[in-house]
Amino acid sequence: MAKHEQAGQGTGSITLNDNSRQLQLELPVLKATQGPDVIDVRGLYRDAGYFTYDPGFTSTASCDSAITFIDGEKGILLHRGYSIETLAENSDFLEVAYLLLFGELPTEQQRAVFDEEIATHTMVDEQLIRFYNGFRRDAHPMAIMVGVVGALSAFYHDSLDIHDPDQRHIASMRLIAKMPTIAAMAYKYTRGQPFVYPRNELGYAENFLRMMFSVPAEDYRSNPVLSQALDRIFILHADHEQNASTSTVRLAGSSQANPFACIAAGIASLWGPAHGGANEAVLKMLMEIGSKDRIGEYIARARDKNDPFRLMGFGHRVYKNHDPRARVLRESAHAVLREMGSEEQPLFELALELERMALEDDYFIERKLFPNVDFYSGIILRAMGFPVSMFTVLFALARTAGWVSQWNEMISEPVQRIGRPRQRYIGYGPREFIPRDKRG
Ligand code: SDX
């Protein structure tokens, strides 16, 4: 675990005045090293008979973590203390994965060992290939990902024991190493093309692009501009504190489920359009808007409470300022579109105009709604040749580094408890059972 200044402890007092009684409570305040301190309410029900109430967890810290810090008001994202802008500019994805997992940037020697370990695990059990044949060819690749990643626990029995650090380590390497292979196989399967085996002399993103787009009938030429842009996209998606899918992985892990099952649960949660599925939804929205003169119509719909339409790729639970990842992606889009030609340029210009108009609109200003990581990523991925259905798969591929790091951090906690939230019950009290022939 990374060394960091020891988080301290204080006390806070709360006066409760509800219509039944007045209560003065002393509650411990646990100090954070960055961001808000927390009120420790673990004894609240035992000592005062109350639950806290926070659907959506807007003000709830579910755990201690030293991996990622977000300051939503300032639009700051740090991984183990390094800003996302610095990492996107100076690191590559495997170095960021190492940082997330082990807490420090690797030395040359540590990086060489890590690369070797990842390379050892890029292939999947040949038997797994038959698993793909059970899917329809038109299956959504995310459906395949959820199924195949969960099925890894049926193949890798020597890395299921979560109490064994060595097995946890091998499972972590396998997941990071195999996600590109599994993702590319999901794409090839839906295209009816043969699977392409990984080549370990290639970089992580370059290997994935080759498994995605090479065919046996032709020689494949890597494009360093695309490999570098994709590697940067992976960095930007690697981890993001306790978001919905990471919280899903932690909750599944708290029951001591095996790591492959936990990551499959995270993939399922990420799939939703309110979360990782938004990148796919942004592209569909931009294509539906079609031209700049229709942007106003869609902004009006987004403002309209009677219309369920939301501006996809906008807004964020934590960021109430620019999502720093969106800024980096907007710059990357310029580079990729220059390299790939201007076919996606109109869509990019539409997105830029939509961002400009939304950021000048009082509805978005009042609610501090800014473009998030999903707003520009889809345009870049489509320009690279990825079909829209693969966008969230790439998000899951990159986020596996974060999920695995957060899972390891949780499993390494000295005290682990199963996650088991309570509720505010609003249903019937006890009532008599009425036999069916007596019911009205
Ligand atoms: C990701 O958590 C993470 O870190 C996630 C993520 C990660 O890296 O893991 O960053 C990845 O999931 C990014 C978000 C991708 N999702 C989208 O782009 C979908 C569109 N955005 C939203 O649906 C929404 O903004 C959320 C889900 C992202 C956040 O929802 P919240 O925090 O629950 O906010 P809310 O729904 O309470 O909205 C607050 C207000 C509401 O208006 P009022 O009721 O106050 O009048 O803002 C409005 C909302 O109606 N609003 C939007 C809007 N997002 C919020 N109105 C129009 N368009 C939008 N996109």
Side-chain angles (χ1 to χ4, degrees):
M1 177 73 89
K3 293 179 181 45
H4 54 75
E5 50 280 19
Q6 186 55 39
Q9 176 161 338
T11 54
S13 68
I14 288 183
T15 304
L16 279 172
N17 266 324
D18 73 12
N19 47 23
S20 58
R21 54 181 172 149
Q22 192 188 52
L23 204 61
Q24 180 83 19
L25 271 179
E26 289 284 314
L27 292 170
V29 172
L30 306 180
K31 299 289 184 190
T33 54
Q34 295 281 319
D37 297 335
V38 298
I39 299 172
D40 184 348
V41 294
R42 284 175 287 187
L44 184 65
Y45 178 58
R46 181 197 61 223
D47 301 342
Y50 285 99
F51 293 150
T52 59
Y53 183 68
D54 186 12
F57 310 121
T58 49
S59 305
T60 294
S62 62
C63 62
D64 287 333
S65 183
I67 297 173
T68 292
F69 173 70
I70 302 171
D71 181 329
E73 296 304 323
K74 296 179 186 155
I76 290 171
L77 169 56
L78 305 179
H79 290 317
R80 304 284 191 178
Y82 298 98
S83 76
I84 191 64
E85 294 90 341
T86 303
L87 294 171
E89 186 61 36
N90 301 291
S91 265
D92 67 0
F93 176 71
L94 281 182
E95 179 164 83
V96 172
Y98 185 99
L99 174 67
L100 293 172
L101 264 170
F102 304 113
E104 301 295 341
L105 290 167
T107 62
E108 288 294 346
Q109 166 64 13
Q110 289 166 331
R111 176 63 193 267
V113 170
F114 188 61
D115 283 353
E116 183 58 30
E117 282 199 283
I118 293 295
T120 308
H121 293 292
T122 51
M123 290 175 66
V124 294
D125 185 302
E126 198 71 2
Q127 186 81 0
L128 197 70
I129 291 177
R130 294 173 54 188
F131 192 86
Y132 281 78
N133 292 334
F135 292 102
R136 283 176 38 160
R137 289 284 181 183
D138 62 350
H140 193 292
M142 281 297 278
I144 297 176
M145 294 301 291
V146 172
V148 172
V149 172
L152 293 177
S153 42
F155 288 84
Y156 300 106
H157 299 142
D158 61 342
S159 57
L160 298 180
D161 179 357
I162 63 165
H163 302 294
D164 177 344
D166 293 336
Q167 293 201 29
R168 290 205 301 268
H169 179 77
I170 295 174
S172 305
M173 295 300 105
R174 279 176 166 149
L175 281 158
I176 293 172
K178 293 181 194 310
M179 280 299 272
T181 310
I182 290 167
M185 289 168 72
Y187 170 68
K188 285 301 197 185
Y189 183 74
T190 60
R191 290 294 308 275
Q193 292 182 358
F195 296 144
V196 176
Y197 288 93
R199 294 287 313 179
N200 289 338
E201 73 275 13
L202 299 179
Y204 192 82
E206 187 185 12
N207 207 357
F208 175 62
L209 284 168
R210 180 180 170 279
M211 290 188 280
M212 278 286 302
F213 297 122
S214 74
V215 288
E218 294 168 5
D219 291 338
Y220 176 77
R221 277 185 321 106
S222 296
N223 180 327
V225 172
L226 298 192
S227 302
Q228 204 246 342
L230 185 60
D231 191 273
R232 177 168 293 183
I233 288 173
F234 288 162
I235 290 173
L236 296 170
H237 287 77
D239 191 56
H240 212 241
E241 201 202 77
Q242 306 311 318
N243 57 83
S245 53
T246 299
S247 299
T248 301
V249 169
R250 280 180 172 261
L251 201 53
S254 77
S255 76
Q256 301 184 16
N258 73 69
F260 304 109
C262 294
I263 301 305
I267 296 172
S269 172
L270 185 77
W271 194 359
H275 190 14
N279 52 19
E280 182 174 342
V282 167
L283 241 292
K284 288 175 180 168
M285 175 187 72
L286 291 173
M287 290 157 76
E288 185 184 323
I289 294 174
S291 61
K292 291 181 183 178
D293 59 355
R294 294 192 64 203
I295 291 175
E297 171 196 334
Y298 281 81
I299 288 182
R301 285 189 57 196
R303 296 168 56 106
D304 180 356
K305 287 294 157 219
N306 300 316
D307 188 330
F309 172 78
R310 283 197 166 184
L311 216 52
M312 301 314 283
F314 259 78
H316 199 277
R317 170 61 58 76
V318 176
Y319 289 120
K320 301 310 171 192
N321 198 321
H322 283 272
D323 180 336
R325 303 168 296 174
R327 282 192 163 130
V328 177
L329 281 167
R330 188 173 48 202
E331 294 320 308
S332 288
H334 285 294
V336 170
L337 294 182
R338 259 196 312 276
E339 175 67 19
M340 296 305 287
S342 60
E343 199 179 316
E344 303 303 327
Q345 192 64 32
L347 218 52
F348 183 46
E349 285 167 12
L350 182 64
L352 289 170
E353 179 62 6
L354 173 55
E355 176 183 1
R356 185 192 66 76
M357 289 176 66
L359 293 183
E360 289 176 359
D361 182 281
D362 58 6
Y363 172 93
F364 289 82
I365 294 168
E366 281 161 22
R367 292 165 180 79
K368 298 182 178 178
L369 303 175
F370 291 87
N372 58 51
V373 69
D374 293 303
F375 189 64
Y376 286 106
S377 57
I379 293 167
I380 302 172
L381 296 175
R382 211 164 94 112
M384 288 179 166
F386 291 101
V388 174
S389 61
M390 281 295 288
F391 290 2
T392 311
V393 173
L394 270 66
F395 196 151
L397 185 166
R399 185 54 57 91
T400 296
W403 287 333
V404 160
S405 304
Q406 299 267 352
W407 175 77
N408 274 289
E409 181 177 64
M410 180 194 73
I411 292 288
S412 311
E413 288 284 348
V415 177
Q416 291 168 38
R417 307 191 72 192
I418 190 165
R420 206 285 188 206
R422 299 306 300 273
Q423 64 184 10
R424 176 169 73 113
Y425 179 69
I426 53 171
Y428 285 108
R431 50 181 179 156
E432 291 301 315
F433 181 83
I434 301 169
R436 189 173 306 127
D437 59 0
K438 298 277 186 305
R439 293 170 201 161

